[in-house]
Amino acid sequence: MVYEMGENLKEETSLKLKTLFEKLFDENKAELVIGFSTYKNISKPQVFKSKEELKSFVFDGFSSQNLSTFLRKFKGKKIGILVKGCDSRSIIALLEEGQVKRDDLTVVGINCPGMLDKRRLKSEFGSNFMVFEGAEEIQIEANAKSTQKERFEYLYEHCKSCKYPDPVFYDYIVEGYKKSKTEDTLGSRIESIEKTDKEERWKYFEAEYSKCIRCYACREACPMCYCEECFVDSQNPRWLSKNFTNTEKQIWSFVRIYHQAGRCTECGSCFASCPEEIDLMYMIGKMNRNIKENYGFETGLKPGAKPAFTTYNPNDPDGFET
Amino acid sequence: MNNKDFNPKILALLCNWCSYAGADLAGISRLQYPANIRIIRLPCSGRVNPLYILKGLEEGADAVWISGCHPGDCHYGSGNYYARRRLSLFKEMLEFVGFEGERVKLSWISASEGPRFQQAAKEVTESVKSVGENKKFRKKSMEEVLEDGV
C-alpha cells in the first residue's frame, strides 16, 4: 500500500539525515546545521543550532527552498548544510564567486525526488491536506478522503524539467528516493511562447509582471541575489521610485532576471516564494538556455569553470551591428 | 503620426576613446548627421549597464544606441568584448518578451571613422523611424495615469 511506503520512505531518509547531522555536531564539524523542520504537515527551512533542536528535522517533498541562500548570513561559522541537486550547484556558483569558504562547509547531499507544488495541491484539495510520499506515487488525504496520484504530475514545472536532481557536489551523500523521469516541460513551454507573435508575447509579459507588488520576496529567496545594496534600494542614484507603474515593475523584472542569467540553477525558490505567483521561470529559463547555447556554459556543474559573463571569447558572435 | 513627421529621440552611449572621438571627427569635418541623437559619453562600452538602456527608454528615448571601439581595439583591452556578450544577451531577452529589439543598437566605430559615424547615425535614425514611437516601455505622463491608471 502506498500509505505505508510513502511514510516509510520519508521517515527513513529524514532519520538517516538526522543521524548524519547529529554526528556532525558530535564531531564538532558543524556549529549549525541548515535543514528543514516540520510546519503544518509540510517542511520549512530552519537553522538548527544544537543537537537537541534536530529533533524536528525532516526532509520531504515540500523541501523545495534553496538552502544555500542562508549560507552568507552565517559567514565565518562552521556550517552543515543539506543539499539537493540545485542547492549543490548554487553552492559551487557561490564558491566560484568567492561568497562562501569551502573549509567552512560540510555538505550533505540527498537525491532529490522532485518537489511537490504546494499551491497546486492547495487549490485542488483545500488547505488542510496530508501527503504520503512514494518515489512514483503520492497519496493525498484531504476532507476525509484519500486520493492516489502520480508523483510526477504534481511536481513543480522546473522540477519536472530538472536534469540534475542528484547533488553534483557533496561530502556525504544519503540515498533518498530518486526522481523517476525527466521531461523538459519548461523548455517546451519556452519554445511554444517563442513561436507566438511579438505582440502576444508582450501582452503575456505585461500581464504577468503587472501582478508584481514589488515585495522582493524573489530576491530574498534567491541564493545568487546577494548584492550589499540592491539597485532598487539605492537612493543615490535612485533608479526606481516608490511609484507603482508597470514600467518600474518591468525594469525590476528585467534587471533581476538579467543579473541571474547564467548563474541561476532553476531551483525555483523565487517562483515558490512569489505571493502573486508570477511566471518567473519562463524568462530565466530562456536566459539560461541562451547562455548554454551561445557560450556553452551551465552554472554550478564544474568547480573552477568561469561564469559566462566574467569571461569573453574574441570569436563571440557579432550579429548585432546596426 | 506619419513616419516622415516622426522625430525619434535616440540616446547614444558612446565610448570615450573611439566612438566619441569619431563623433567629434564627424563634427570637425562638417559631416551632417540627423539631430535626433543625444550623446552621453562613457569611459568604455563595457561601462554600459543594461539598466541605463532601460532607464533611457523609460524616460522617453525611442532607441538606445551603444557604440564602442572595434573588437580588439579597446582602450582598456577587453571592455568591448564583455559589452558584446552582455548586450547581445540583453537584446535577446528584450526580444523574447516581445519588445522591439530594433530599439537597442550596437556598433563599433573608431576615432578615425568620422564618415562611418555619420553613416551609422543615419542608419540608426532611419531604422528607428521605421519602427515608430516607443509606446510599450515608457513612463506614463500624469495625464495618462489619471486617465487610464498605472
Side-chain angles (χ1 to χ4, degrees), chain A residues 75-130:
Chain A
K75 263 190 176 172
K77 294 208 167 161
K78 289 210 171 300
I79 305 169
I81 184 169
L82 172 68
V83 299
K84 308 179 287 295
C86 45
D87 306 36
S88 70
R89 289 175 64 202
S90 293
I91 290 182
I92 293 186
L94 285 170
L95 284 170
E96 207 42 54
E97 293 176 14
Q99 294 302 317
V100 288
K101 279 198 194 123
R102 178 69 189 94
D103 297 343
D104 293 345
L105 302 180
T106 310
V107 182
V108 178
I110 177 136
N111 310 109
C112 175
M115 290 298 149
L116 298 169
D117 191 340
K118 194 160 54 186
R119 291 191 291 227
R120 184 170 165 201
L121 285 165
K122 237 179 212 172
S123 71
E124 274 181 41
F125 299 97
S127 50
N128 277 323
F129 61 81
M130 282 263 270

Side-chain angles (χ1 to χ4, degrees), chain B residues 24-44:
Chain B
D24 205 18
L25 183 64
I28 304 168
S29 327
R30 302 259 182 263
L31 299 174
Q32 297 274 329
Y33 61 86
N36 304 71
I37 287 158
R38 276 82 164 159
I39 296 175
I40 293 179
R41 180 171 60 149
L42 293 176
C44 179

